[in-house]
Amino acid sequence: MTFDHILIRLGEITVKGRNRNRFETEMLKQVQHALRGFPGLTFIRTYGRLYIALGNEPYEPVADRLKDVFGISSFSPVKRVEPELQAIREGALAVMRSFPQRKATFKVKVSRRWKGFPHDTMAMNHLVGAHILRNMPNITVDVRQPDIELHVEIQEQHAYIYCEVVPGAGGFPYGSNGKAVALLSGGIDSPVAIWMAMRKGLEVEAIHFHSYPFTSKEAQDKVVTLAKRLSYYAGKPFKLHLVPFTDIQTSLAQSKQDHLIITLMRRSMLRIAQRIAEKSGALAIVTGDSLGQVASQTLGSMNVIGRTTDLPLLRPLVAMDKLEIIAMAKRIGTYETSILPYEDCCTLFVPKSPSTNPNLRVVERIENGVPNLAGMIAQAVEGTETIELRPDDPAPSDRAGEDDWF
């Protein structure tokens, strides 16, 4: 095996000041947890970096898991050698020979972090490059646009040699920035919004509204599958709150205000979400709103809907268009489930001409006229079923629906 270690680079964590140690400690814990199925690995933490000694473990499956761990900016398979000239030159040659033997150009880029090393950076670039040229006749130098960029990082204890830089998920370690609840429909948007919130270090508990018997068991199973997929990225048990919404939805429909029914339902959903958040210790509500995508996501609609909660409303998708959201859904593996043709409660009463600029006073007057709306909201919270979903191990193979809520 040419490569015996993996070098992990931390993303936004490195801009932290006094809290940096806490974030790096949490990052190490999450990497260890994500790779718990590989007992032969050894983990090494240094300032701003993590290293994994592969031992006898194969690189590819370890790398596949690392790609989905939040907080990792990028990583590289590396060969570790002694910080000594001949060892570095032989290690660099071994790394270059790991590529298919063909005509190619290369460039050596040495980073001399240990200033006590006897050769300076420019000298090392030449000494390593010359050794490769003597032993690989098909290789030539191109310092501007090389086919292969060979990196040599010299530290006091070891030198690390690598060529490949694999992008990671980025963001912050899961749960390192607090907790939020998130509205999860069976559509394309909301799982992507939740993934993006998780990527920024939020621990998320999902909330799904169902209207049995108007919605089917298949529709609920679809949401459970989506939540299970999200639990894989969390790397730990993922809570899904299933809220009975039938009584509220039918009562709002009886108000005969078809053009405002979406606004009315979403306001009730946020009231329920705030109560669940307060019980769970969450400090924000995440939604899948994308500005202008549908009638309930115009600025006027979002203003009226959002006034029902005191908690911050986080909208990770607000500036994304539908094609971008679909591409992200495919990448995180939720798209194929989201497009399954099972309706959720939000598609049952969609009017032909929904209001795009509702009047707050009119909406509040209609709500005041709905008998026992506050009581039904309390009953819905009380009747909520909470389930914990755990990530499948190994990760689901499906890498990769309609509008969110409505």
Side-chain angles (χ1 to χ4, degrees):
M1 182 191 301
T2 302
F3 300 104
D4 46 36
H5 285 68
I6 297 176
L7 160 62
I8 296 176
R9 301 174 191 85
L10 308 183
E12 294 183 75
I13 296 171
T14 58
V15 304
K16 293 293 181 181
R18 296 179 180 178
N19 291 325
R20 179 168 175 168
N21 182 65
R22 176 175 69 86
F23 280 90
E24 290 187 358
T25 300
E26 183 60 30
M27 189 74 256
L28 174 60
K29 289 180 182 177
Q30 295 204 13
V31 170
Q32 289 174 324
H33 183 74
L35 299 176
R36 64 194 181 281
F38 302 92
L41 301 177
T42 303
F43 301 87
I44 307 146
R45 175 187 164 191
T46 64
Y47 186 74
R49 296 282 179 89
L50 297 177
Y51 295 92
I52 301 173
L54 289 169
N56 293 321
E57 299 288 357
Y59 166 73
E60 287 77 11
V62 174
D64 285 343
R65 187 65 187 94
L66 284 176
K67 290 174 185 176
D68 294 323
V69 177
F70 297 127
I72 295 177
S73 172
S74 64
F75 61 91
S76 296
V78 301
K79 183 172 183 62
R80 192 178 80 172
V81 299
E82 294 300 312
E84 181 269 324
L85 176 59
Q86 192 56 30
I88 292 172
R89 295 206 295 187
E90 292 303 323
L93 182 60
V95 169
M96 289 296 294
R97 282 176 170 166
S98 69
F99 290 91
Q101 296 302 299
R102 57 177 176 79
K103 285 189 175 182
T105 59
F106 83 109
K107 170 185 176 181
V108 178
K109 189 172 183 179
V110 173
S111 172
R112 197 171 62 107
R113 298 192 169 209
W114 174 37
K115 301 309 178 184
F117 190 76
H119 305 282
D120 65 25
T121 299
M122 292 298 293
M124 282 301 294
N125 287 338
H126 174 74
L127 290 167
V128 173
H131 185 69
I132 292 169
L133 288 170
R134 283 194 297 270
N135 290 275
M136 298 183 70
N138 287 339
I139 296 293
T140 57
V141 173
D142 184 345
V143 297
R144 296 185 181 276
Q145 291 184 313
D147 298 320
I148 302 168
E149 190 167 284
L150 179 70
H151 294 261
V152 180
E153 186 176 296
I154 303 173
Q155 299 183 15
E156 186 170 3
Q157 301 300 322
H158 302 97
Y160 297 90
I161 305 165
Y162 63 92
C163 293
E164 185 182 10
V165 178
V166 182
F172 292 99
Y174 179 71
S176 60
N177 279 328
K179 181 191 283 190
V181 296
L183 305 186
L184 176 62
S185 74
I188 296 173
D189 298 359
S190 58
V192 176
I194 292 173
W195 183 89
M196 293 180 72
M198 293 166 66
R199 179 178 176 270
K200 293 299 289 183
L202 284 176
E203 178 185 349
V204 175
E205 295 184 7
I207 301 173
H208 176 69
F209 297 88
H210 63 88
S211 291
Y212 180 82
F214 300 114
T215 53
S216 64
K217 182 180 182 300
E218 288 82 3
Q220 185 166 308
D221 289 345
K222 174 182 172 181
V223 171
V224 171
T225 300
L226 289 170
K228 228 174 174 182
R229 178 60 187 170
L230 292 168
S231 77
Y232 163 69
Y233 293 103
K236 58 180 64 176
F238 185 87
K239 284 187 178 181
L240 173 61
H241 303 281
L242 299 169
V243 181
F245 201 62
T246 309
D247 291 345
I248 295 172
Q249 195 165 17
T250 53
S251 295
L252 293 175
Q254 290 168 4
S255 67
K256 305 300 182 183
Q257 300 291 333
D258 288 354
H259 65 297
L260 290 172
I261 188 66
I262 296 175
T263 301
L264 294 166
M265 286 195 294
R266 293 188 66 169
R267 281 169 61 88
S268 290
M269 287 177 174
L270 287 183
R271 290 187 177 102
I272 293 168
Q274 174 160 330
R275 296 196 184 189
I276 294 174
E278 290 167 350
K279 292 171 67 173
S280 301
L283 299 179
I285 300 172
V286 178
T287 75
D289 294 324
S290 175
L291 184 61
Q293 188 177 114
V294 291
S296 61
Q297 295 174 14
T298 64
L299 191 58
S301 291
M302 287 194 291
N303 174 49
V304 171
I305 292 166
R307 286 175 178 265
T308 59
T309 177
D310 298 325
L311 292 178
L313 275 175
L314 307 182
R315 299 180 172 102
L317 312 184
V318 71
M320 295 177 69
D321 64 34
K322 194 65 176 185
L323 292 178
E324 291 174 318
I325 297 168
I326 288 172
M328 181 65 75
K330 290 178 178 178
R331 189 173 81 106
I332 67 175
T334 58
Y335 179 75
E336 294 301 328
T337 300
S338 292
I339 62 174
L340 292 174
Y342 303 121
E343 292 186 330
D344 58 36
C345 71
C346 300
T347 61
L348 295 177
F349 297 97
V350 177
K352 292 182 179 179
S353 300
S355 175
T356 60
N357 190 27
N359 183 286
L360 178 60
R361 292 182 181 178
V362 172
V363 170
E364 290 175 338
R365 186 170 67 247
I366 295 168
E367 288 175 334
N368 291 334
V370 177
N372 196 32
L373 179 58
M376 287 188 291
I377 287 172
Q379 289 173 359
V381 174
E382 187 65 28
T384 295
E385 176 190 1
T386 301
I387 58 177
E388 279 196 358
L389 301 165
R390 287 170 173 75
D392 295 325
D393 192 15
S397 59
D398 54 318
R399 282 296 219 192
E402 285 282 3
D403 285 332
D404 217 16
W405 284 355
F406 303 96

